[in-house]
Amino acid sequence: MKNIFLSAILVFSCALMGSAQDTTIANPPSPAQLNNPNPLLRMGLSFSPLISFFSPDGSASVIYGDGARFTIKYGLHIDMRLSANPNYYFSTGVFLLNTGGKMNHTYYEVENIPIERNGTYRLNYVNLPATFMLRTNEIGYIRYFGRVGVDLGLNIRATVDTEDFVTDGGTTIMDEVDFSDNVNLFRGALHLEAGFEYNVGGTTNLFLSLEWNNGLNNVFHKDYRYGTDNSRVKAVSNFVSLNAGVYF
């Protein structure tokens, strides 16, 4: 039975290859299609160093920002031209985004003993942008562009390093503590980007851009609370990135 199944797969694969060869021979792409710098669909890769930080919301006695993280984003770009005009694209893709930042909390243990906690948070997301790309006409070999839209991030990992300082007491340090239960599954953000493309020949374009990514929702779960009044911790995650990549 296994041999029959494998034989069937082999015959089916050969039929597909033969069909593909016939199609290629019958409908070969023209040189203009192969070298069109503005195809209907294009794909590329990028790598982005970034600076991420938190913007807390609420009482400063509960939580406040205390610094940024230098980290990265990288992934696949997918652009679809919206019309015959090569200046308008819908841009999406799949990216691995590392964000986070540093925050301080003041909270209380038993007997109202105040404890100062310094935390460095690492939040990892699979990020899916949905943006509109507007490009200028070609100036020399360069086109300037802007992207405007939103990002949807799916949290896949969250950890925190903490330092707890007790008044008239000692210091407790913990590293790489799993923090996933205290982070919301989704992160929404406003995506604003500006940059330029340089055509190096055919469909290959190099690009460089600066992106501002402004979080739209609280990244912490509703049950994550601190302070004597059990206040909910609220903060959005923002970052600024320098994006460098290539369209093939």
Side-chain angles (χ1 to χ4, degrees), residues 115-130:
I115 297 177
E116 183 76 14
R117 167 166 287 181
N118 296 336
T120 300
Y121 299 80
R122 302 178 184 88
L123 309 180
N124 298 336
Y125 296 90
V126 173
N127 199 57
L128 306 173

Side-chain angles (χ1 to χ4, degrees), residues 79-228:
D79 289 357
M80 291 165 279
R81 205 173 73 206
L82 295 177
S83 66
N85 189 328
N87 293 351
Y88 307 113
Y89 280 84
F90 174 75
S91 295
T92 183
V94 181
F95 300 87
L96 183 62
L97 170 63
N98 302 305
T99 66
K102 298 179 181 180
M103 294 191 304
N104 286 0
H105 310 75
T106 299
Y107 71 101
Y108 295 82
E109 292 252 343
V110 294
E111 300 178 357
N112 288 330
I113 299 176
I115 297 177
E116 183 76 14
R117 167 166 287 181
N118 296 336
T120 300
Y121 299 80
R122 302 178 184 88
L123 309 180
N124 298 336
Y125 296 90
V126 173
N127 199 57
L128 306 173
T131 64
F132 291 102
M133 182 180 190
L134 310 176
R135 304 195 303 170
T136 66
N137 292 324
E138 195 170 64
I139 304 172
Y141 293 98
I142 294 177
R143 287 180 182 266
Y144 298 93
F145 69 85
R147 283 192 181 99
V148 180
V150 294
D151 284 6
L152 176 63
L154 176 67
N155 185 259
I156 55 175
R157 189 169 182 262
T159 61
V160 62
D161 297 342
T162 61
E163 290 183 275
D164 288 353
F165 302 94
V166 182
T167 303
D168 298 328
T171 300
T172 301
I173 299 176
M174 294 187 293
D175 295 329
E176 293 289 333
V177 178
D178 184 20
F179 197 69
S180 300
D181 290 341
N182 292 312
V183 174
N184 282 323
L185 180 61
F186 296 106
R187 172 187 179 270
L190 176 65
H191 183 128
L192 300 174
E193 184 181 351
F196 65 90
E197 297 180 18
Y198 179 78
N199 182 258
V200 295
T203 61
T204 304
N205 288 349
L206 304 179
F207 71 89
L208 187 69
S209 66
L210 185 66
E211 176 186 341
W212 164 246
N213 198 279
N214 195 119
L216 298 176
N217 65 304
N218 184 14
V219 297
F220 296 111
H221 193 270
K222 64 180 180 180
D223 294 331
Y224 184 44
R225 299 172 182 271
Y226 274 105
T228 54

Side-chain angles (χ1 to χ4, degrees), residues 23-52:
T23 302
T24 302
I25 294 172
N27 301 291
S30 66
Q33 289 175 322
L34 289 173
N35 295 293
N36 181 10
N38 306 297
L40 287 174
L41 175 68
R42 63 179 190 165
M43 303 177 71
L45 300 172
S46 70
F47 178 85
S48 310
L50 60 88
I51 301 173
S52 67

Side-chain angles (χ1 to χ4, degrees), residues 16-29:
L16 284 179
M17 292 175 62
S19 175
Q21 289 175 351
D22 291 342
T23 302
T24 302
I25 294 172
N27 301 291

